[in-house]
């Protein structure tokens, strides 16, 4: 598993990237301030960097919705 951590609007974000058993693409799990964020996306994304960008965008949008 590969991981990425950053702060956005004073909230700690952790993204864990992983490959499914098929080895085709990347999935992720996102935690914001220790709370897991459920992603509506279920299909893997082919390239690791694209998956990381998508997960980062999801996390930032979720934090923005929190206020």
């Amino acid at each position: 598993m590969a991981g990425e951590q950053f702060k956005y609007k004073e909230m700690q974000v952790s993204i864990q990237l992983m490959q499914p058993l098929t080895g085709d693409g990347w999935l992720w799990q996102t935690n914001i301030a220790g709370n897991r964020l459920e992603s509506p996306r279920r299909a893997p994304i082919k390239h690791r960097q694209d998956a990381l960008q998508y997960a980062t965008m999801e996390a930032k949008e979720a934090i923005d919705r929190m206020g």
Side-chain angles (χ1 to χ4, degrees):
M1 276 198 290
E4 181 77 22
Q5 292 186 6
F6 62 94
K7 276 195 170 187
Y8 180 71
K9 293 188 176 180
E10 301 302 317
M11 299 195 84
Q12 185 66 34
V13 178
S14 172
I15 299 171
Q16 294 295 319
L17 294 173
M18 60 210 87
Q19 287 190 296
L21 293 175
T22 62
D24 188 29
W26 293 87
L27 297 171
W28 58 91
Q29 179 178 328
T30 304
N31 290 299
I32 299 173
N35 298 308
R36 185 171 176 193
L37 175 67
E38 292 293 329
S39 175
R41 184 170 178 93
R42 298 286 179 235
I45 292 181
K46 186 173 184 173
H47 300 287
R48 182 187 183 284
Q49 193 62 34
D50 292 342
L52 182 58
Q53 284 181 313
Y54 190 93
T56 300
M57 178 191 66
E58 271 187 350
K60 288 180 176 181
E61 287 176 353
I63 291 170
D64 289 343
R65 284 193 302 272
M66 290 179 197

